[in-house]
């Protein structure tokens, strides 16, 4: 079992159970507690942290309710895959998962040159029927499927092999080839997942998915990528910081 430590401020108005829950959640998000890791039982943890058993039980229940921990008969309390909270910034999902120690990897569902539909042509500012690169990928975090991603790029933008796409994020690959993404327009929504999406994501048929469409331009103003992604609503959320001016 991993060693778990918490730093409690007993003079704080923040309840002790909440302080414990927050620090365990932070350990999960930072990868110090990995999926599958087991925690000591509540009695041992309560003694270790100098807490009452009801306080420790409430802290654990807080994380069970969030989907970060699960209680299993005969096994104990285990870490499971927590929800990914992603800031709305000009970054790729691969970058964000890597930054939060979520161990991303990718299954390539499609990597081909296709003819641009009217919709794709409009988003990439190319004539309809133009040759474009069409990518379909399934992105994992800690070996759990998280997102079905579909992207279109101008054919002549950069060469993309399957080994590249499997091991690195699209924006990371673009930057390494000298493509400097400067601005993007993004739309976030939600809908019921298609049968294929639910199958790929390990969700029940008709489960909700969060959606994101993004059109990105480089520093010359050229449209370099249009993406349409579907994320597991049970495991994923977008995070926005609002500032009053």
């Amino acid at each position: 079992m991993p060693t778990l430590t918490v730093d409690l401020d007993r003079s704080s108005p923040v309840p002790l159970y909440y302080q414990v829950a927050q620090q365990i959640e932070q350990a999960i998000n930072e990868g110090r507690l990995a999926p599958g890791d087991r925690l000591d039982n509540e009695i041992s943890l309560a003694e270790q942290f100098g807490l009452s058993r009801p306080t420790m039980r409430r802290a654990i229940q807080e994380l069970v309710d969030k989907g970060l921990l699960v209680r299993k008969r005969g096994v104990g309390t285990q870490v499971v895959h927590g929800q990914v909270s992603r800031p709305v910034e000009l970054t790729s999902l691969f970058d964000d998962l890597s930054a939060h120690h979520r161990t991303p990897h990718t299954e390539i569902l499609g990597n081909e040159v296709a003819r641009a539909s009217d919709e794709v042509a409009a988003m990439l500012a190319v004539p309809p029927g133009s040759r474009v690169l069409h990518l379909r990928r399934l992105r994992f975090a800690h070996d759990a499927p998280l997102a079905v991603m579909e992207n279109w790029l101008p054919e002549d933008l950069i060469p993309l092999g399957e080994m590249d796409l499997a091991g690195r994020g699209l924006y990371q690959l673009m930057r390494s080839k000298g493509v400097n993404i400067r601005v993007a327009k993004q739309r976030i929504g939600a809908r019921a997942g298609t049968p294929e999406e639910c199958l790929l994501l390990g969700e029940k048929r008709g489960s909700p998915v969060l959606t994101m469409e993004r059109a990105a331009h480089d520093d010359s103003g050229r449209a370099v990528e249009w993406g349409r992604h579907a994320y597991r609503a049970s495991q994923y959320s977008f995070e926005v910081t609002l500032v009053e001016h």
Side-chain angles (χ1 to χ4, degrees):
M1 292 184 184
T3 301
L4 181 64
T5 60
V6 297
D7 183 14
L8 300 176
D9 183 354
R10 298 179 187 273
S11 65
S12 170
V14 179
L16 291 174
Y17 84 88
Y18 190 76
Q19 292 186 47
V20 173
Q22 287 290 292
Q23 291 184 50
I24 295 176
E25 181 174 352
Q26 184 177 0
I28 294 171
N29 290 335
E30 292 178 351
R32 289 182 281 120
L33 287 175
D37 282 349
R38 288 192 297 126
L39 303 186
D40 288 328
N41 61 53
E42 292 172 2
I43 297 176
S44 296
L45 289 174
E47 292 177 352
Q48 180 181 338
F49 303 147
L51 298 170
S52 68
R53 187 177 178 185
T55 297
M56 193 65 231
R57 182 185 303 117
R58 188 171 180 185
I60 295 297
Q61 188 61 48
E62 184 86 3
L63 298 173
V64 169
D65 292 343
K66 283 188 172 185
L68 297 172
L69 298 178
V70 64
R71 291 187 174 101
K72 294 183 178 180
R73 185 181 300 275
V75 176
T77 303
Q78 278 188 301
V79 178
V80 292
H81 305 290
Q83 188 178 73
V84 176
S85 180
R86 181 183 180 187
V88 180
E89 298 175 349
L90 192 47
T91 56
S92 71
L93 177 59
F94 192 97
D95 293 337
D96 292 335
L97 292 174
S98 297
H100 290 86
H101 310 286
R102 299 306 294 265
T103 319
H105 74 270
T106 307
E107 179 182 329
I108 309 303
L109 304 176
N111 177 12
E112 62 182 0
V113 175
R115 298 291 180 179
S117 66
D118 291 345
E119 182 182 29
V120 171
M123 300 307 297
L124 292 181
V126 298
S130 298
R131 291 166 61 88
V132 295
L133 186 61
H134 181 204
L135 310 175
R136 292 189 73 243
R137 295 164 294 156
L138 180 61
R139 178 62 45 77
F140 293 77
H142 283 325
D143 295 324
L146 183 64
V148 179
M149 306 184 299
E150 193 167 18
N151 298 79
W152 292 264
L153 292 76
E155 182 193 17
D156 63 349
L157 186 69
I158 57 172
L160 288 173
E162 293 202 1
M163 291 294 292
D164 294 327
L165 290 167
R168 302 172 70 185
L170 181 58
Y171 280 15
Q172 186 182 50
L173 288 167
M174 292 168 73
R175 288 192 296 266
S176 71
K177 302 293 185 180
V179 179
N180 298 311
I181 299 173
R182 186 62 58 189
V183 65
K185 184 175 182 180
Q186 182 165 288
R187 176 184 296 170
I188 297 170
R191 57 171 170 78
T194 67
E196 182 193 23
E197 288 169 342
C198 291
L199 180 63
L200 289 169
L201 295 173
E203 294 283 357
K204 294 180 181 179
R205 182 182 289 263
S207 293
V209 295
L210 295 176
T211 62
M212 186 271 285
E213 294 185 10
R214 178 188 286 180
H217 297 73
D218 66 11
D219 45 14
S220 72
R222 181 189 183 188
V224 293
E225 178 257 347
W226 182 50
R228 188 164 58 193
H229 302 172
Y231 304 85
R232 296 176 72 179
S234 64
Q235 301 290 323
Y236 191 86
S237 65
F238 290 102
E239 183 177 295
V240 181
T241 300
L242 305 176
V243 180
E244 182 181 4
H245 293 286

